[in-house]
Amino acid sequence: MDIFSFLVQTLNAVQYGLLLFLVASGLTLVFGIMGIINLAHGSFYMAGAYLAFGLTSATGSLVWAIVLGVPLAMLVGAALEALLFVHLYKRDHLEQVLLTYGLILIFEELRSLIVGNDVHGVAMPDFLAGSIPLNDTLSYPVYRLAISAVCVVLAIGLYFLIQRTRLGMMIRAGSHDRDMVQALGINITVIYRVVFALGVAMAALAGMLAAPISSVGPNMGGQVLILSFVVVVIGGIGSVWGALLGALLIGFADTFGKVILPEFAGAMVYLVMAAVLLWRPEGLLKKGA
Amino acid sequence: MNNRIHKLTVALAGAVALGGATLPAAHAAEKIKVGLMLPATGTYAKLGTAITNGFKLYVDENGGKIGGLDVEYAVVDDESDPAKATENANKLVKRDEVDVLVGTVHSGVAMAMAKVARGTKTLMIVPNAGADELTGPLCAPNVFRTSFSNWQPSYAMGPVLLEKGIKKVVTLTWKYSAGLQAIDGFKESFTAGGGQIVKELTLPFPNTEFQPYLTEIAALKPDAVFVFFAGGGAVKLVKDYAAAGLKDSIPLYGSGFLTDGTLAAMGGAGEGLETTLQYADGLDNARDQAFRGGYAKAYGSAPDVYAVQGYDAAQLLAAGVSAVKGKIEDRKGMITGMEAAKIDSPRGAFSISAAHNPVQDIYLRKAQGELNPAVKVAAKALADPARGCRMQ
C-alpha cells in the first residue's frame, strides 16, 4: 500500500467510525443511563432511513426531511417510553430483551405493510452531491465528509450537554441513584423520557443521514444493531467518549482488515472486540468518563 | 417467538389453501397437487411472490389446469431459512403428499429441498436458486431447474469484455457461494480468452461498507471491474462506485442481478450499466409480449425474470404431465417428457440439459431508466458444464 492509498484508507476508516458513533451514541445513552438493553435501536435507525425516504419524496429535500423527522422521532421515542419502557426500569434485563425484540418484529412487519419489501434510494441534497477529486481516478464524495462533520459536532454537543449543563448533571445523577435524585425534588420521570427520546432521535438521525449513501430496505437495522453493541461494549457502557473511541477503533479494524487481511475481514471487528475485552473487561472507558 | 408467529401464519395459509381446494378436488377425477415452497416473508418475499404469480398465470391461462389436470396447491412460506428447509419440505411431501415440489429462491434452502426430493423421489422444479450444485453434484433424475446456474450468466460476460479490448479485471462480490460461483464462471471464460484477473476482492455477507475496496480498485487501476451483487447491496455498490468517481474511468460490469429491480433505487447511478442475464426487457418476440401483457393484466405490474422462471416451471411441469397423458403415477414417463421438453419461454425457447438445467441464451443488457433492454445475445444456447453430476 502506498502512502496515498494509506491516507485515503485512513479517511475511510475515520469516516466509517464516525457514522458508527452516531448510531451507537444513542444506544450507549439509553443503555448506560437508563439501564435498558434496547434491541429495537436498529429498528429506530431503519425507521429514520424510511422517514428520510418518505419525507424526502414529500418535501423534495433531505434537509427538510431531517428538520421534520428528528422532532417526529423524539415524539415517537417519548411516547414509547411513556407507554412501554417506563414499566421496565425495575425489571430484569431478560424482560427488556423480550420487549425490545418484540418491537423489532413489530417494526419490521409495519415496514412491510406500509412501504413493502422493495429497496429504495434517497437523493442527497444538491449542494452536497459533488465529489472532490483526490487523483485522476479516485474522488471523495462531499456528502460523506459532511456526515463526518455532523458526527463530530454531535459528539461535542452531546459531551457538552451531559458534562456542562444542568440537565446533564441531573441525567448523570439519575444514572447513579434514581431514588435519591427523586427525593431531592427532581422529576426523574421527565429526565428519563428526555434521555430516551434523545436516544431514539440519534438513531433515527443516523438512519436519515446514512439513507442517501446506503440502500433503504428490509432488515437494514439488524447489521447496524450488532455493530452498535460492539461499539458500546468496547467503549465502555454508558460512556459517550468511549463510544466515540470504540467506533473509531471498529472503523479502523473493519477498513484495514478488509485491505490487509481480506481472508479475515468478517472476523476482524470481533477479534478486536475480544482483544479489548480481554485487556479491559469493562471497556476502554468506564461509565461516566 | 419469530418461529411461533411464522408457524401460525403458515398453518393458517395451509388451512386456507386446503379448505379452498380439497373439497371440490374430492369430486374431481384427476388432479395434480403442487407444493409451492417459496419465501412469503423476509428479504426475498418479493421474489417468492413473482414466482408464484408467474406459475399461477400459466395455470390460469390454461383454464386452471396443468397438462389437462386440475391443480391443487399446498403452500409453505420457507422464510429463506435453511435451518427450517428440511422440515418444511417434509411437511409438503409427507403431510400434504404433493406430487411436485416447486421451490425456491434461496440456494441453501433449495439444496435442503433437493435432498428431501432425492430421498423421497418426489419430483422437484427449482424456479430460481442458482447454486451450481443443484444441477451438479446434487443432480438427480427427479430434480429440474427452470432458472439458471450461477455459472451461466457470468460465464457469458467473459467474451463480451475481451471483445471490448478489456484485458485486466478486478472482481468483487460477497463471500458466499452464489457470489463465488458467479465470479468463477466469469473467470473461466475470461482467462480462457487471454484475460487476466488482477485481484479477487470479497467482503463478508451482508456487509456493504465498500469504501475500502473502492480505494483499492482505484489504486490497482484495472481496465474494468466485474461484480456479483443483488438487492440492497447492489444499489449501495453502484451508488458508491459512481460517487467515488470510478464509473467513468473504470467501467463496472456485473451479472444481471445487479440491475434487476434495483435501478429505481440507484437513482441514475445505474444508467448505462451492462450486465448479462437469461432475460431482458423489450425482447423482440411475440411470446414475451403476450406474457408481459397477460401478467400486467392479472397482477397490475410488469413481470421480472423471477416471474418468467415461475411461469416456465409450470410449463415444464405441463410438458411432463402431457407426456404421460395425465397419468402422473408414471413418474419415469413424466421425467422423460420433461427432459425432452422444448420450453417456449418468454425469455426465448430453451431445452433441458442432461443435468436438468436450462440450455438457454444469455443476453447482454444495458440499463436505461428503470429497464434493462437487451443489446445482443452474449452467449447462444449456453449449457452449464454440470461438473460433478452423475445421474442414477
Side-chain angles (χ1 to χ4, degrees):
Chain A
M1 200 179 346
D2 56 46
I3 182 78
F4 173 76
S5 293
F6 177 77
L7 288 176
V8 179
Q9 295 293 17
T10 306
L11 181 62
N12 289 336
V14 171
Q15 188 265 134
Y16 183 44
L18 284 171
L19 192 62
L20 282 179
F21 165 74
L22 188 59
V23 197
S25 56
L27 187 65
T28 206
L29 269 185
V30 172
F31 200 174
I33 291 171
M34 303 169 62
I36 298 266
I37 297 181
N38 182 15
L39 294 183
H41 195 72
S43 300
F44 297 139
Y45 173 83
M46 178 186 77
Y50 273 93
L51 263 183
F53 168 66
L55 290 173
T56 305
S57 317
T59 63
S61 157
L62 181 67
V63 179
W64 277 112
I66 290 175
V67 170
L68 295 171
V70 170
L72 198 63
M74 289 198 80
L75 280 179
V76 170
L80 279 174
E81 200 272 348
L83 291 174
L84 299 174
F85 285 85
V86 75
H87 303 296
L88 285 181
Y89 301 134
K90 305 255 154 123
R91 310 245 182 147
D92 68 7
H93 283 162
L94 182 65
E95 286 174 67
Q96 301 175 356
V97 167
L98 277 177
L99 174 76
T100 53
Y101 183 68
L103 283 179
I104 294 183
L105 297 182
I106 291 171
F107 275 117
E108 278 293 334
E109 209 54 44
L110 281 178
R111 188 243 340 121
S112 178
L113 287 174
I114 297 171
V115 261
N117 295 317
D118 284 340
V119 179
H120 300 285
V122 174
M124 53 183 72
D126 287 335
F127 64 100
L128 293 173
S131 291
I132 299 168
L134 297 176
N135 65 5
D136 51 341
T137 45
L138 191 64
S139 314
Y140 218 84
V142 174
Y143 187 78
R144 280 178 183 270
L145 299 174
I147 292 186
S148 302
V150 172
C151 294
V152 171
V153 169
L154 277 173
I156 295 171
L158 210 53
Y159 173 79
F160 189 79
L161 174 75
I162 290 177
Q163 300 294 336
R164 293 274 184 273
T165 64
R166 195 174 165 77
L167 176 66
M169 206 158 71
M170 291 191 274
I171 290 174
R172 274 181 293 142
S175 77
H176 285 290
D177 194 334
R178 191 183 152 94
D179 296 334
M180 183 55 82
V181 172
Q182 207 157 16
L184 288 173
I186 292 165
N187 190 343
I188 193 73
T189 320
V190 170
I191 302 240
Y192 269 36
R193 198 152 295 159
V194 168
V195 170
F196 192 79
L198 202 63
V200 171
M202 298 278 289
L205 177 64
M208 286 187 240
L209 287 174
I213 54 165
S214 61
S215 46
V216 180
N219 306 322
M220 66 181 293
Q223 265 279 313
V224 163
L225 177 72
I226 295 168
L227 281 174
S228 299
F229 268 103
V230 170
V231 164
V232 168
V233 170
I234 288 184
I237 293 164
S239 162
V240 172
W241 284 130
L244 180 59
L245 214 59
L248 287 173
L249 192 64
I250 293 303
F252 273 89
D254 187 76
T255 303
F256 284 93
K258 281 170 176 170
V259 179
I260 296 167
L261 286 169
E263 289 300 308
F264 298 99
M268 194 48 102
V269 164
Y270 306 102
L271 287 176
V272 168
M273 176 168 86
V276 169
L277 291 184
L278 278 176
W279 172 46
R280 295 184 81 123
E282 299 216 308
L284 293 172
L285 298 176
K286 271 192 217 162
K287 185 172 161 181
Chain B
M1 286 161 292
N2 198 353
N3 236 337
R4 209 171 296 162
I5 290 170
H6 280 305
K7 273 191 185 139
L8 194 66
T9 30
V10 168
L12 280 174
V16 170
L18 287 173
T22 22
L23 290 179
H27 304 288
E30 290 184 342
K31 62 177 171 65
I32 183 164
K33 197 160 182 186
V34 177
L36 293 178
M37 181 163 155
L38 291 160
T41 52
T43 318
Y44 292 134
K46 203 182 148 205
L47 282 58
T49 309
I51 292 168
T52 307
N53 287 350
F55 193 96
K56 291 189 170 168
L57 179 65
Y58 177 82
V59 176
D60 291 346
E61 281 176 359
N62 290 276
K65 290 177 194 292
I66 281 187
L69 297 183
D70 285 330
V71 183
E72 182 185 329
Y73 296 105
V75 183
V76 163
D77 173 12
D78 71 34
E79 302 166 46
S80 298
D81 184 352
K84 297 178 193 158
T86 306
E87 188 195 334
N88 282 335
N90 271 322
K91 234 184 256 169
L92 287 172
V93 172
K94 301 211 167 112
R95 185 192 67 193
D96 300 332
E97 297 179 322
V98 298
D99 298 304
V100 55
L101 273 175
V102 176
T104 185
V105 174
H106 187 288
S107 279
V109 177
M111 286 198 274
M113 284 175 77
K115 281 175 192 154
V116 171
R118 273 170 80 115
T120 59
K121 304 247 184 285
T122 310
L123 200 59
M124 171 173 170
I125 301 176
V126 182
N128 186 64
D132 290 347
E133 291 90 337
L134 284 167
T135 52
L138 283 178
C139 76
N142 56 323
V143 176
F144 288 81
R145 176 152 61 188
T146 57
S147 49
F148 62 97
S149 71
N150 286 328
W151 180 93
Q152 276 180 315
S154 353
Y155 182 86
M157 188 57 106
V160 172
L161 294 197
L162 290 166
E163 210 173 279
K164 289 177 191 280
I166 289 165
K167 289 269 176 273
K168 290 181 180 168
V169 165
V170 169
T171 63
L172 175 64
T173 186
W174 276 315
K175 195 171 183 175
Y176 69 156
S177 74
L180 299 177
Q181 289 177 350
I183 297 297
D184 281 347
F186 168 75
K187 195 163 78 174
E188 189 177 329
S189 63
F190 186 64
T191 51
Q196 187 199 345
I197 306 286
V198 185
K199 194 156 189 180
E200 291 178 53
L201 299 170
T202 57
L203 74 160
F205 178 82
N207 188 313
T208 53
E209 186 54 30
F210 295 114
Q211 224 42 46
Y213 299 103
L214 300 182
T215 305
E216 202 169 354
I217 287 167
L220 291 166
K221 290 194 176 61
D223 299 335
V225 174
F226 179 84
V227 299
F228 177 93
F229 287 103
V235 173
K236 185 160 193 298
L237 172 80
V238 169
K239 283 169 88 173
D240 285 358
Y241 198 86
L246 294 173
K247 199 184 169 193
D248 298 323
S249 50
I250 306 170
L252 183 66
Y253 297 91
S255 159
F257 301 102
L258 188 70
T259 53
D260 250 69
T262 53
L263 284 167
M266 287 173 188
E271 189 69 21
L273 278 185
E274 290 183 63
T275 59
T276 38
L277 201 68
Q278 63 276 15
Y279 190 58
D281 291 305
L283 287 180
D284 192 17
N285 78 55
R287 188 79 185 86
D288 187 46
Q289 278 149 19
F291 167 75
R292 288 174 90 105
Y295 191 96
K297 209 173 143 206
Y299 306 109
S301 63
D304 52 17
V305 64
Y306 309 105
V308 173
Q309 290 164 179
Y311 188 79
D312 291 343
Q315 291 208 68
L316 180 62
L317 184 60
V321 176
S322 304
V324 295
K325 302 202 168 53
K327 293 192 176 52
I328 51 174
E329 317 79 63
D330 180 8
R331 202 43 54 89
K332 224 171 179 173
M334 267 185 91
I335 289 172
T336 315
M338 288 163 77
E339 283 172 335
K342 183 104 178 151
I343 303 296
D344 186 17
S345 169
R347 73 186 96 165
F350 69 83
S351 56
I352 300 290
S353 74
H356 296 177
N357 193 57
V359 178
Q360 58 191 341
D361 294 350
I362 303 291
Y363 299 97
L364 176 68
R365 309 110 42 94
K366 187 166 187 170
Q368 196 175 36
E370 290 181 20
L371 295 175
N372 289 292
V375 177
K376 63 170 184 179
V377 173
K380 192 95 194 125
L382 185 65
D384 181 85
R387 292 185 185 107
C389 169
R390 285 167 59 202
M391 285 279 180
Q392 34 218 332

